[in-house]
Amino acid sequence: MKKGISQTRREFLMRTGAMLAVGISANSLRGAWKVAKLSAKEQEEAVALTYEEARLVRRKQYADLLVKRMSDYKRQLSKQGCGKWRIHMLGTWCGSEPNPNHNHTSWILEKPSGELLWFDAGEYCSWTASNMNLDITQTKNLFISHPHLDHIGGFTGLIVSFYNHLRLADSKKRKFVPDGFTVYAFDNRMIRASEIYFGGKINLGINFVGLKNGEIYRDDDVVIEALGNYHMKPTPQGKFLSYSFRIKLLSAPHKTIIFSGDIKSLEDMDAFLKDGNCDLIMLETGHHLPENHCIKLKEKYPNAVKDILFLHHGARVALNMDFERARAEAVWGKPIIFAQDKQTIEL
């Protein structure tokens, strides 16, 4: 028998409209949304509402939702600052075949104060950071190693997340990025592209600093140096398009970290490695075998590096990680970190 319009509309409302009218809530800052379960009587009451009555219910529910999320967010802000330096892996995959367990490359260095220094912005980086309960509005500086998509594909999404998190922290704010937010990169085209995404020539309020060899950032806690590498061919004028970074922690534990970015060979970082005193080197495996990295470090830069972390994995490494770990550690002589998404490492 053919259903009448009123019967079809009633069933539709029973399945969808009723839940929207009476039940959307967020159970945490992570954004894990859940739909309230309604009894048969509550469903009947929801369906009995006029369209205008349902609209008012939805409006109140959404207002209550925002209040709860703002409360959760401000409570999360008060927990920031663990008193330790930590590395958070947001994405550990290179720009090869899609992988259900890995996003593209992005990681965070968290200061003891809770401030976040962000390196690269692969897709879903802001989503992952929020799901790790990191307060992304504590980010003031983003360092981009090079403009390949697996390192910048999540940049616009990060700006959207900044905007939404700032609104939750203060409902009166209509800002896109935190005060003083600065991007360090080869050029500012990805910033311009994001401004177009937001509706034309809008000023997102982002500061830009072009990368060059030498010290690019310093504060009371950290010094960051850049070194051009040959992953991307330099311009005819000799300007580097891809960079590696050296990070020196000025406050305890006074460690030095080298992040390779993507490189043509280990010799690209010769100026960093020949100085020695590297406590942790973060090396990409998308274009190089871990075993080969270890061999070259042992042969050409003996005693220059204490520990190794591999990231930016390609399929040949990520899909056979135990095999690659065993061979690399046999060369290196001690455990090596093969980074995984959502992993946190205390320094």
Side-chain angles (χ1 to χ4, degrees):
M1 183 175 66
K2 187 175 181 180
K3 295 180 180 179
I5 293 176
S6 60
Q7 185 179 358
T8 303
R9 178 175 181 273
R10 178 182 177 85
E11 290 180 355
F12 172 77
L13 287 173
M14 288 283 286
R15 290 194 304 269
T16 58
M19 291 185 290
L20 286 171
V22 186
I24 296 178
S25 64
N27 65 5
S28 74
L29 177 64
R30 295 172 184 237
W33 298 66
K34 64 179 180 180
V35 178
K37 302 295 184 181
L38 301 181
S39 65
K41 181 179 180 181
E42 288 172 329
Q43 291 185 43
E44 290 180 2
E45 291 174 349
V47 172
L49 296 173
T50 66
Y51 185 86
E52 181 62 25
E53 289 170 340
R55 187 178 70 85
L56 294 175
V57 170
R58 292 186 182 104
R59 179 181 295 178
K60 181 180 185 305
Q61 288 293 326
Y62 186 65
D64 292 344
L65 167 68
L66 289 181
V67 169
K68 183 181 186 306
R69 283 179 61 82
M70 288 171 64
S71 175
D72 288 345
Y73 191 75
K74 290 177 179 178
R75 184 163 55 251
Q76 181 64 30
L77 289 181
S78 68
K79 296 180 181 179
Q80 291 299 318
C82 67
K84 298 179 181 179
W85 287 93
R86 300 191 297 182
I87 290 174
H88 304 285
M89 309 306 304
L90 309 180
T92 57
W93 191 246
C94 77
S96 58
E97 300 86 349
N99 185 290
N101 301 314
H102 299 84
N103 293 321
H104 283 161
T105 299
S106 182
W107 62 279
I108 284 172
L109 177 63
E110 181 183 2
K111 292 184 177 185
S113 64
E115 181 182 339
L116 307 179
L117 298 170
W118 202 295
F119 292 84
D120 285 345
E123 89 282 69
Y124 300 119
C125 56
S126 57
W127 181 91
T128 304
S130 294
N131 275 274
M132 292 176 72
N133 270 351
L134 297 171
D135 176 14
I136 67 170
T137 64
Q138 296 304 303
T139 307
K140 295 295 183 68
N141 299 281
L142 167 63
F143 303 87
I144 299 294
S145 63
H146 65 288
H148 282 163
L149 191 62
D150 54 332
H151 296 259
I152 64 170
F155 178 73
T156 298
L158 177 58
I159 303 305
V160 173
S161 292
F162 278 146
Y163 178 76
N164 289 328
H165 281 68
L166 287 166
R167 278 204 311 143
L168 288 173
D170 186 344
S171 60
K172 296 181 180 179
K173 286 187 178 180
R174 292 294 183 267
K175 299 168 60 178
F176 283 101
V177 297
D179 291 330
F181 178 65
T182 303
V183 172
Y184 298 77
F186 158 66
D187 64 25
N188 64 353
R189 279 178 287 184
M190 66 179 184
I191 299 174
R192 300 284 81 81
S194 292
E195 289 178 341
I196 292 172
Y197 172 87
F198 285 105
K201 295 182 178 180
I202 183 173
N203 183 358
L204 297 178
I206 298 173
N207 304 316
F208 169 75
V209 174
L211 290 178
K212 61 180 181 180
N213 286 344
E215 183 178 311
I216 57 171
Y217 178 81
R218 176 185 289 266
D219 62 26
D220 293 339
D221 300 310
V222 64
V223 172
I224 300 177
E225 301 167 304
L227 179 65
N229 64 50
Y230 294 93
H231 172 64
M232 297 179 68
K233 186 177 180 180
T235 67
Q237 295 75 31
K239 183 172 178 57
F240 287 102
L241 306 182
S242 54
Y243 285 82
S244 304
F245 299 109
R246 179 163 62 183
I247 306 146
K248 297 180 178 180
L249 310 187
L250 302 181
S251 56
H254 304 289
K255 291 183 179 291
T256 296
I257 303 166
I258 293 175
F259 171 46
S260 67
D262 288 8
I263 51 176
K264 183 178 181 180
S265 69
L266 207 60
E267 285 83 357
D268 287 5
M269 298 184 294
D270 185 75
F272 285 166
L273 291 169
K274 69 181 181 182
D275 290 348
N277 301 318
C278 175
D279 295 283
L280 177 67
I281 189 166
M282 303 173 66
L283 288 170
E284 62 107 342
T285 67
H287 307 93
H288 309 275
L289 288 173
E291 176 183 358
N292 291 343
H293 275 320
C294 293
I295 291 171
K296 187 157 286 187
L297 282 172
K298 296 280 281 190
E299 290 179 350
K300 188 163 185 178
Y301 306 100
N303 305 315
V305 174
K306 293 180 181 177
D307 290 301
I308 300 175
L309 180 151
F310 288 128
L311 74 166
H312 189 264
H313 306 305
R316 62 181 178 178
V317 172
L319 301 181
N320 204 9
M321 196 165 287
D322 286 345
F323 175 84
E324 296 297 345
R325 186 197 313 274
R327 292 191 60 86
E329 290 182 348
V331 175
W332 190 240
K334 58 180 178 178
I336 296 172
I337 300 172
F338 280 69
Q340 299 290 323
D341 289 25
K342 298 186 179 180
Q343 181 179 9
T344 293
I345 300 157
E346 288 191 359
L347 297 175

